[in-house]
Amino acid sequence: MFTGTLRVDLRLGDVRSLKQKRSVVRPIIAEVQRRFQVSVAETAHHDLYRRAEIGVAVVSGDGSRCRDVLDSIERALAARPEVELLVAHRQLFAAGDDQDVS
């Protein structure tokens, strides 16, 4: 069993309040969850209205499948015109291993 995680730091476009931030981030989270069947949440920068960190987790029996899903999610987020992907961090763990295998 393999577990893959992706953490992306996003800069939001024309957002001037936390309420506007929610109206941008919620649809992104919902689309990633629906389209890729993964767990996803806003994980940091809750008090900054022009930044968001989104965390994604995927579990698979195949490490290459985890990588493929995380690659697809990263590309989909980078292609969104309303956000700028600043940094992406990923990790891949194999069950029973104490070290990641990314």
Side-chain angles (χ1 to χ4, degrees):
M1 177 177 77
F2 293 86
T3 305
T5 62
L6 175 67
R7 202 174 71 229
V8 293
D9 192 3
L10 303 173
R11 182 180 336 199
L12 308 178
D14 188 28
V15 173
R16 301 189 196 291
S17 69
L18 292 175
K19 186 176 180 179
Q20 283 182 322
K21 175 185 180 176
R22 282 193 306 273
S23 72
V24 171
V25 173
R26 279 186 182 172
I28 292 171
I29 289 172
E31 179 185 340
V32 168
Q33 193 171 32
R34 177 188 51 77
R35 186 171 162 197
F36 298 101
Q37 299 296 306
V38 295
S39 295
V40 58
E42 184 179 0
T43 55
H45 306 309
H46 300 286
D47 57 340
L48 302 175
Y49 61 88
R50 296 226 36 231
R51 296 280 295 278
E53 181 182 272
I54 295 178
V56 177
V58 61
V59 176
S60 177
D62 182 14
S64 64
R65 174 72 179 141
C66 280
R67 280 189 215 83
D68 291 345
V69 170
L70 296 178
D71 286 343
S72 296
I73 293 169
E74 186 176 341
R75 281 193 303 275
L77 291 173
R80 295 187 70 97
E82 71 273 23
V83 300
E84 177 186 354
L85 194 148
L86 299 175
V87 179
H89 298 281
R90 70 174 63 198
Q91 290 181 302
L92 184 65
F93 299 94
D97 288 349
D98 291 336
Q99 298 180 4
D100 77 57
V101 292
S102 357

